[in-house]
Amino acid sequence: MIRRYQERDVDQVLEAWESASRLAHHFLDEGFFHVERERIRNTYLPSAETWVWEEDGRVIGFVSLLGHEVGGLFVDAGAQRRGVGRALMDHARNLRGTLELDVFERNAIGTAFYAHYGFEVVGKHVDEETGETTARLRLESAVE
């Protein structure tokens, strides 16, 4: 079930983020995960519109939006490939129409998901903190 994020969800959201992020971002060092976890808790979640997927009383995935920007889409590693990510992205698209996001090029899981969903690369840049190449993706609204 998709519902709005509530502050009481923070620990489960962070668990889902870390599980998915460690799987997809195996090329990043431990320092990245430590810093990013604190940013998510203290900066990103309070400022974003976040929707969670709850299953059996547990949050296993979420999508965070900042306007038309997808700040993050993460599904617990053990719950991937079951349609949760697609359902969350469908929800975001229904709310916003056109969507944009950044993804590390070496994140094979994310890049494959977004390409299959229909996102197109509109630019690339090197992330200053990690030195990794990041692709800027865009998905046009289905409604014109």
Side-chain angles (χ1 to χ4, degrees), residues 98-142:
T98 299
L99 297 171
E100 293 191 10
L101 58 89
D102 291 323
V103 63
F104 289 118
E105 281 193 322
R106 290 177 57 191
N107 173 353
I109 295 168
T111 55
F113 172 84
Y114 295 126
H116 184 72
Y117 197 88
F119 281 85
E120 295 182 2
V121 176
V122 295
K124 294 184 181 185
H125 69 277
V126 174
D127 180 72
E128 290 182 22
E129 289 185 37
T130 64
E132 292 288 329
T133 301
T134 302
R136 180 71 174 172
L137 307 180
R138 182 176 176 91
L139 178 69
E140 295 292 336
S141 173

Side-chain angles (χ1 to χ4, degrees), residues 9-134:
D9 298 323
V10 68
D11 290 333
Q12 291 180 13
V13 163
L14 288 170
E15 287 172 20
W17 166 80
E18 188 160 356
S19 171
S21 195
R22 286 186 181 277
L23 180 65
H25 302 137
H26 56 86
F27 50 88
L28 297 173
D29 66 28
E30 194 61 36
F32 169 84
F33 294 104
H34 177 74
V35 169
E36 198 67 7
R37 183 181 185 93
E38 292 309 306
R39 281 185 187 151
I40 291 168
R41 176 188 299 277
N42 299 319
T43 304
Y44 301 148
L45 286 174
S47 63
E49 176 184 343
T50 300
W51 296 85
V52 301
W53 179 280
E54 183 179 345
E55 193 170 278
D56 297 325
R58 185 122 189 106
V59 172
I60 60 169
F62 69 98
V63 62
S64 290
L65 302 168
L66 296 157
H68 290 274
E69 178 85 13
V70 177
L73 171 68
F74 293 93
V75 177
D76 184 85
Q80 291 183 6
R81 304 194 59 79
R82 294 187 0 221
V84 174
R86 175 165 283 282
L88 287 165
M89 189 59 70
D90 288 348
H91 186 73
R93 191 171 193 197
N94 288 337
L95 291 171
R96 297 293 191 275
T98 299
L99 297 171
E100 293 191 10
L101 58 89
D102 291 323
V103 63
F104 289 118
E105 281 193 322
R106 290 177 57 191
N107 173 353
I109 295 168
T111 55
F113 172 84
Y114 295 126
H116 184 72
Y117 197 88
F119 281 85
E120 295 182 2
V121 176
V122 295
K124 294 184 181 185
H125 69 277
V126 174
D127 180 72
E128 290 182 22
E129 289 185 37
T130 64
E132 292 288 329
T133 301
T134 302

